Amino acid sequence: MAKEGVEKAEETEQMIEKEPSKEPAEGGGGDGSHRLGDAQEMRAVVLAGFGGLNKLRLSRKAMPEPQDGELKIRVKACGLNFIDLMVRQGNIDNPPKTPLVPGFECSGIVEALGDSVKGYEIGDRVMAFVNYNAWAEVVCTPVEFVYKIPDDMSFSEAAAFPMNFVTAYMMLFEVANLREGMSVLVHSAGGGVGQAVAQLCSTVPNVTVFGTASTFKHEAIKDSVTHLFDRNADYVQEVKRISAEGVDIVLDCLCGDNTGKGLSLLKPLGTYILYGSSNMVTGETKSFFSFAKSWWQVEKVNPIKLYEENKVIAGFSLLHLLFKQGRAGLVRGVVERLIGLYNQKKIKPVVDSLWALEEVKEAMQRIHDRGNIGKLILDVEKTPTPLMANDSTETSEAGEEEEDHEGDSENKERMPFIQ
């Protein structure tokens, strides 16, 4: 077992790929970059092709420079989301061409400004959305996707902030119009979005939050959710036992048969919002069977029935809103309101654990196994921890969303949780 751990630790250390003709010259930048001739290079996680964990590599790439209207950011931390796992598998509509650098959010320090950029200075601490390419030491992204962060917000918190809290806020307040006295059902209550939803609901008086999560997460999140159920239990009956009419808002990241269950729980004038389809992910690679099963289980929506029952069904994709539908201005207003709540100490990102770029496979395995409570963060400056490589580089055939894995408690305790 010790020999196996050493071998896997060595595999982690050897993930950085170099071509013999591209060794860094002496005098490489002390900022983590390396000068190769007249060009600088950086480390970046590269997805060589769609599939399993073996498609991920830490490589050296040419460092980008900001174009007109862009900022160059020296990255300190990156967020890891379930959508990144689906991208790796190619389990999304119109996937981009590989090889590519994954990741959609990061935090860091402004290092250079492109032409026409106003309102920012070199040295500003920022968080940003990126249309891929976030998992690298340096990124360039348009100024409309960049936001200054409070002085007391850490880079790991900032990397955990944009996707989770903007998604949660816009679903609750922009789509569902959450108000005093309402009730909300959120799946995966222990995840990054689930915890953001719970915190935001606490800013509105008398909101009841129903949540589903694996049993091993209940102790950690019990104070953030009014009523907590095992995700494998019959949560429909549990909710109706407490609230016979059901709930006002259902937030569903699972899809499949949970769509019909969610619609059945809605009160009149209630809103069901689908914002993910993680039930399609079971094994390490894309599964046509899982996709077909999830699609088949989705209740076919009858508009006449919605009309008769006074129910609303909606969808929400923050990435589409930003990068395909041009709503960066709307999102900026939301970010400003969220930062105000953060400054008032009403919300705070929950960081599950920090991982080095070299440990991206292990980090992705953890989110695949639904073992996280809050957000997983790739810390660009973190040194790899050999212990992490001992157990998590092997393929895991995880079951349904947030399946409880008996016997995994030892592995979970060995992870570097952020207290």
Side-chain angles (χ1 to χ4, degrees):
M1 185 66 183
K3 181 179 179 182
E4 180 182 357
V6 171
E7 290 174 349
K8 289 186 177 179
E10 291 175 349
E11 175 187 348
T12 297
E13 294 170 357
Q14 294 169 1
M15 282 181 65
I16 301 179
E17 298 177 338
K18 301 178 183 177
E19 296 181 20
S21 61
K22 292 187 177 182
E23 287 295 324
E26 290 187 10
D31 55 5
S33 61
H34 299 268
R35 186 171 296 281
L36 303 179
D38 292 330
Q40 281 191 312
E41 287 200 341
M42 63 177 184
R43 295 182 306 149
V45 176
V46 174
L47 180 64
F50 299 119
L53 295 170
N54 63 340
K55 299 296 184 179
L56 293 166
R57 293 287 184 272
L58 186 61
S59 302
R60 298 206 179 277
K61 292 177 61 69
M63 185 180 298
E65 294 299 329
Q67 303 301 307
D68 184 28
E70 291 185 340
L71 285 81
K72 179 180 179 181
I73 301 170
R74 174 66 57 174
V75 176
K76 297 294 185 179
C78 321
L80 197 158
N81 300 286
F82 203 88
I83 185 65
D84 298 310
L85 191 154
M86 298 185 74
V87 167
R88 192 202 77 213
Q89 294 186 346
N91 211 351
I92 58 174
D93 288 335
N94 300 315
K97 293 182 179 179
T98 55
L100 61 86
V101 176
F104 298 101
E105 62 183 340
C106 65
S107 64
I109 299 173
V110 175
E111 194 168 81
L113 306 174
D115 293 339
S116 77
V117 171
K118 297 179 180 179
Y120 293 88
E121 297 179 354
I122 293 174
D124 282 345
R125 301 171 72 249
V126 297
M127 57 187 172
F129 290 109
V130 188
N131 194 9
Y132 294 100
N133 297 309
W135 294 356
E137 290 180 315
V138 174
V139 302
C140 291
T141 193
V143 65
E144 58 261 36
F145 304 137
V146 182
Y147 320 93
K148 294 179 183 179
I149 62 178
D151 292 339
D152 60 344
M153 180 182 282
S154 69
F155 286 117
S156 59
E157 285 182 332
F161 197 84
M163 284 282 286
N164 290 351
F165 275 94
V166 172
T167 295
Y169 186 98
M170 296 195 76
M171 289 193 300
L172 288 172
F173 298 105
E174 301 287 342
V175 181
N177 193 22
L178 178 66
R179 300 182 303 283
E180 180 177 355
M182 282 187 161
S183 54
V184 179
L185 168 65
V186 59
H187 291 295
S188 299
V193 173
Q195 284 296 285
V197 165
Q199 290 185 31
L200 288 170
C201 285
S202 71
T203 67
V204 180
N206 301 318
V207 171
T208 302
V209 180
F210 297 87
T212 67
S214 295
T215 52
F216 75 86
K217 299 183 180 184
H218 286 198
E219 183 63 28
I221 67 174
K222 64 181 181 181
D223 294 335
S224 64
V225 179
T226 315
H227 303 287
L228 192 56
F229 311 120
D230 177 11
R231 58 90 45 212
N232 292 313
D234 185 357
Y235 63 85
V236 173
Q237 293 305 314
E238 292 292 329
V239 170
K240 288 188 174 181
R241 181 178 59 81
I242 298 169
S243 174
E245 273 197 300
V247 297
D248 296 292
I249 301 169
V250 174
L251 304 179
D252 182 9
C253 61
L254 308 180
C255 198
D257 61 352
N258 291 281
T259 300
K261 293 177 180 179
L263 286 171
S264 72
L265 279 173
L266 284 183
K267 295 179 180 180
L269 303 181
T271 303
Y272 165 93
I273 305 174
L274 179 69
Y275 70 100
S277 54
S278 60
N279 272 351
M280 293 184 183
V281 177
T282 51
E284 185 183 354
T285 57
K286 182 178 180 179
S287 168
F288 176 77
F289 174 77
S290 296
F291 174 83
K293 178 183 176 183
S294 184
W295 179 86
W296 180 259
Q297 288 178 333
V298 174
E299 181 169 312
K300 305 306 179 284
V301 177
N302 183 340
I304 300 299
K305 187 176 181 181
L306 293 176
Y307 150 73
E308 293 174 344
E309 296 182 352
N310 285 298
K311 294 181 178 181
V312 178
I313 185 169
F316 183 79
S317 167
L318 177 56
L319 296 179
H320 283 197
L321 196 70
L322 281 169
F323 301 127
K324 294 185 178 182
Q325 297 169 331
R327 295 299 190 271
L330 174 62
V331 172
R332 179 169 294 279
V334 169
V335 172
E336 291 172 355
R337 291 193 287 275
L338 286 167
I339 290 176
L341 291 172
Y342 177 88
N343 288 333
Q344 297 169 38
K345 311 299 183 185
K346 293 184 177 180
I347 61 173
K348 184 180 178 65
V350 177
V351 176
D352 173 79
S353 48
L354 303 181
W355 306 79
L357 290 180
E358 292 87 347
E359 297 165 334
V360 64
K361 294 182 182 180
E362 292 91 335
M364 190 162 278
Q365 185 67 62
R366 180 166 174 80
I367 199 170
H368 178 278
D369 291 340
R370 284 77 166 181
N372 57 298
I373 298 174
K375 190 69 163 256
L376 280 80
I377 298 296
L378 295 178
D379 184 338
V380 174
E381 297 179 344
K382 184 179 181 298
T383 301
T385 305
L387 181 61
M388 288 185 207
N390 289 348
D391 303 299
S392 57
T393 53
E394 297 179 2
T395 300
S396 171
E397 293 298 324
E400 296 295 317
E401 167 67 3
E402 299 218 341
E403 182 178 3
D404 204 351
H405 294 268
E406 295 184 4
D408 283 356
S409 58
E410 179 182 353
N411 292 345
K412 290 183 176 68
E413 291 172 358
R414 296 169 69 190
M415 297 300 179
F417 286 107
I418 304 303
Q419 302 295 335

